[in-house]
Amino acid sequence: MSFWLASRRTVQTTDTIQRFDPRFWTVDFPRPAMASVVTIGPDALRVDAVFQKADDLIGLIWESADRWDHPLLAYDTDRDYARLTLSFRWRSGGVLPLDAVNGPTLTIEGRDAAGNPRSWYVRLWNYAVGTPTDAVVSLPFSALSGGFMLPGEADPVHPSDIDRMFISLVAPGYSASAGAPFTPALTGWVELTAIRCQGHKPMLTIGDVMVPPHGLAMATGYDDGYNQTPARLLRAIRGLGYRGSINHYVGMSHFFPLAPDGAGGFVVDPALPALNVAAERWHAAFLSGAKAMGYTVILSQSYELLAQHCPASWQQRASDGSPARTGWSPPSALLSPANTAANAWLRKVAVRLAGMLIEAGLPVRYQVGEPWWWVTGDRRICIYDDAAKAALGGNPVVIPDLGGALTASQIALLDAAGALLAASTASLTAAVRTAAGSAPCETLLLAFLPTVLAPAMPEARRANLPTGWAWPAFDVLQIEDYDWLTAGFEALRMGGRAEAEARLGYARSRQHYVSGFVLSGADAGAMWPMIDAAASEAQAIGVSETFIWALPQVARDGFTRLPGPAAGTASEDDIMQPFDDVLFPIAIGRSATVTPEFSTNVTITASGFERRNSLWADARLRFDVGPGVRSEAELGELIAFFRARRGQARGFRLRDPSDYSSNGMAGVPTALDQVIGVGDGAKARFPLVKAYGPDSEAQQRRITRPRAESLLVSVDGLAVTAWTLDPLGVIVFTDAPAAGKTVHAGFLFDVPVRFAEDRLDISGAAFAAGEAPSVPLIELREDA
């Protein structure tokens, strides 16, 4: 399939939006505060805020440059606000009112007339008409001033070079110098309605692409998109051609309410609701918006929780008592599947997620995301928290190195840990099914194979891919393997899928594949081709849905999946042409003509010198097989074969009488005939090739139609059999050849060809008189 990493918009379709369109505002704040922004009308937005302590400050933000959207969907940058007026109706509750000291303030960041960086602090009450909680605010940028009291403290704004502006929101009882916790947390809201921008250049140009559907679905997460409106994210998903399902991870850091821990921090409190009010509002808008666009949504929940908010007793621990920690910054903790309180909280969240789907009119689709016992960097498994130790016999044997030789008791312990994990996930899916009642319900398991099937720790799968997950424990198995994918570990990817299928028993029709992701934008050029190819591979092998992980990286890197043949817009090079895997029925012998041809562009300069440009890397063959027809019976076979191929429409195999072996032109193949690659310890796929000429000048020919029964393969000179033959002549090893090992192959092969014309001119009288018919064939390009 084709794709494009778009860095900017060029000739693509555009539209216009009013500047300050409510879909494109964002929110931000320092932890542990929380907030969300949603659209509540075409000219209106709402902010819901959660204040955990007295110095929490939440910003509602408009940026002149669009930092969040895909380049083909972003609005144009315009920093000139001169002669513009922004107006809106302000309504609020639970935040300091407009007339208060430290009340809502518009901070404008930009540059002054001399180009020096500046910020201005505009008190909204100075430009409001109405009450402190219900007023119409008008902001004429060319006549706007910062300062608390006007005109005495006026600080005129320079409106022609503004980067961003944000409205700050704080709670009653705000103190910039004291961060005392609120018990319980305070909530507030603000609505801006009737948002208007008038004056000079009130509109912005915005990308308006609508990529045709390409068969892929999108994965995203609340931790990445919490600051944006659901309408903005859904617009991007639809505009980029993703259809069907959205796989949405509710996250590990932003969705839950918190309570003071008594030591200056905040932790999850199971007595509080499953989601905080900001996350509730955001997800309700996201789900209803997805429903309106025709999507279903898979809500994903994991056993991961931001470490600073995770109760200590809930956390998985290594044998020395150290808590499990991921490599994110700040790190997250892993919840123990054995901890009763942690499991009860997970079930509470799962039930609420099911309820939100039902309330939105969507089927219940619930994913348990990457549940596992954490394994540290030095290969210690974290199954030794107090709850796990009690469940595993009270004093379980220590496993100091999961990659070392294990005793029978250590292996038994891993099996028991796997059973605990499976029981924990089963309690979640049972709770969801009960909550769904008569509503459609689907449960899904997301497994990250590079961790649970790590070759260096072969027994880890007992704990982290337990047989208790085998079909029908879940309705769907979702597989992701991006560590192997982006590192090029082809054999591990294929072997991992095969083992997961064998171990858990999910048919391809009950599998999803998640392809991605690119952590750093600097790796985009190298990694997206592999991600795109893996997505196409998953579609080809018949999994029911394939997702791209994830929307933030797609937007950052401009990844644009282009539609395939089904949409009618793929190039001819991308379309698999009809091919009948049958051999031309007549042994043409040496009476047929064979013509190899290249294409070379020759330019003769004014002085008589030539400049030659070779346009083809490989020769293309032409045949005339008519002279090989020797009898009336063979003539009948030819006519029948021609009709069955429908003239030029369908390709077929032809044995070239002069060149059909890897050993010379017609020798008996050996396992050392042709070098088809050199191992690197990761690559498992090696296309068959035949070289013509000395090594330094060899012309490489791809062999796409080998005789499978003739294939012989060797690695480092030793014959091997642990491989399969994929379509179009690709050898696929079960285990990737080691780095530096040369891979050879020997084979017999045919040439893929088609009839050169849609007509076959044959005269019976001429044939009877000994005149051979002309039957031209042309070689097909099949190299993928």
Side-chain angles (χ1 to χ4, degrees), residues 18 20 43 84-90 136-141 192-198:
Q18 177 181 269
F20 308 115
D43 61 353
L84 282 174
T85 297
L86 167 63
S87 63
F88 49 82
R89 182 184 177 188
W90 171 283
V136 173
V137 177
S138 296
L139 301 170
F141 285 93
L192 305 187
T193 59
I195 299 172
R196 299 287 184 272
C197 183
Q198 297 173 300

Side-chain angles (χ1 to χ4, degrees), residues 567-620:
T569 56
S571 70
E572 293 180 2
D573 291 341
D574 292 332
I575 299 174
M576 180 64 73
Q577 299 292 341
F579 188 91
D580 297 330
D581 199 19
V582 296
L583 189 64
F584 185 70
I586 302 169
I588 61 175
R590 297 192 178 276
S591 48
T593 60
V594 183
T595 308
E597 65 174 353
F598 284 93
S599 177
T600 305
N601 185 6
V602 180
T603 302
I604 301 176
T605 68
S607 57
F609 290 96
E610 290 184 350
R611 293 179 180 173
R612 294 180 297 279
N613 180 29
S614 180
L615 303 179
W616 295 353
D618 192 5
R620 189 184 197 189

Side-chain angles (χ1 to χ4, degrees), residues 52 184-185 256-260 266-276 345 348-349:
Q52 296 287 163
F256 39 76
L258 297 168
F266 296 84
V267 294
V268 169
D269 184 346
L272 295 174
L275 277 69
N276 61 57
W345 179 77
K348 180 178 184 176
V349 173

Side-chain angles (χ1 to χ4, degrees), residues 459-617:
E459 302 298 346
R461 63 208 66 191
R462 295 176 178 272
N464 283 335
L465 198 70
T467 54
W469 285 345
W471 162 259
F474 295 86
D475 296 303
V476 174
L477 172 65
Q478 295 182 303
I479 289 174
E480 56 181 337
D481 59 8
Y482 57 81
D483 277 10
W484 287 342
L485 171 64
T486 55
F489 292 139
E490 297 171 332
L492 289 177
R493 290 184 60 241
M494 292 182 291
R497 175 181 291 280
E499 180 166 354
E501 290 177 339
R503 188 171 178 83
L504 301 184
Y506 290 83
R508 293 275 169 85
S509 61
R510 292 190 174 274
Q511 290 182 33
H512 294 169
Y513 179 67
V514 183
S515 191
F517 70 91
V518 184
L519 183 62
S520 169
D523 297 324
M527 290 187 176
W528 279 113
M530 293 184 282
I531 292 168
D532 182 79
S536 295
E537 173 189 86
Q539 290 177 305
I541 66 174
V543 304
S544 61
E545 294 191 74
T546 300
F547 296 83
I548 295 295
W549 176 259
L551 182 59
Q553 287 76 37
V554 166
R556 180 197 65 201
D557 300 333
F559 176 75
T560 310
R561 175 82 165 195
L562 302 177
T569 56
S571 70
E572 293 180 2
D573 291 341
D574 292 332
I575 299 174
M576 180 64 73
Q577 299 292 341
F579 188 91
D580 297 330
D581 199 19
V582 296
L583 189 64
F584 185 70
I586 302 169
I588 61 175
R590 297 192 178 276
S591 48
T593 60
V594 183
T595 308
E597 65 174 353
F598 284 93
S599 177
T600 305
N601 185 6
V602 180
T603 302
I604 301 176
T605 68
S607 57
F609 290 96
E610 290 184 350
R611 293 179 180 173
R612 294 180 297 279
N613 180 29
S614 180
L615 303 179
W616 295 353

Side-chain angles (χ1 to χ4, degrees), residues 281-319:
R281 179 80 62 175
W282 191 98
H283 280 89
F286 181 76
L287 295 176
S288 64
K291 164 75 172 176
M293 287 186 176
Y295 293 98
T296 64
V297 179
I298 300 167
L299 289 182
S300 166
Q301 179 186 14
S302 77
Y303 281 62
E304 196 171 345
L305 195 59
L306 192 66
Q308 67 196 67
H309 299 320
C310 185
S313 63
W314 292 11
Q315 300 180 34
Q316 296 179 23
R317 296 183 183 274
S319 58

Side-chain angles (χ1 to χ4, degrees), residues 430-457:
V432 167
R433 291 188 178 110
T434 299
S438 60
C441 181
E442 181 182 66
T443 61
L444 306 96
L445 169 70
L446 177 63
F448 186 63
L449 299 190
T451 294
V452 300
L453 295 178
M457 297 174 285

Side-chain angles (χ1 to χ4, degrees), residues 394-407:
N395 187 29
V397 61
V398 171
I399 303 176
D401 182 358
L402 200 52
L406 301 182
T407 65

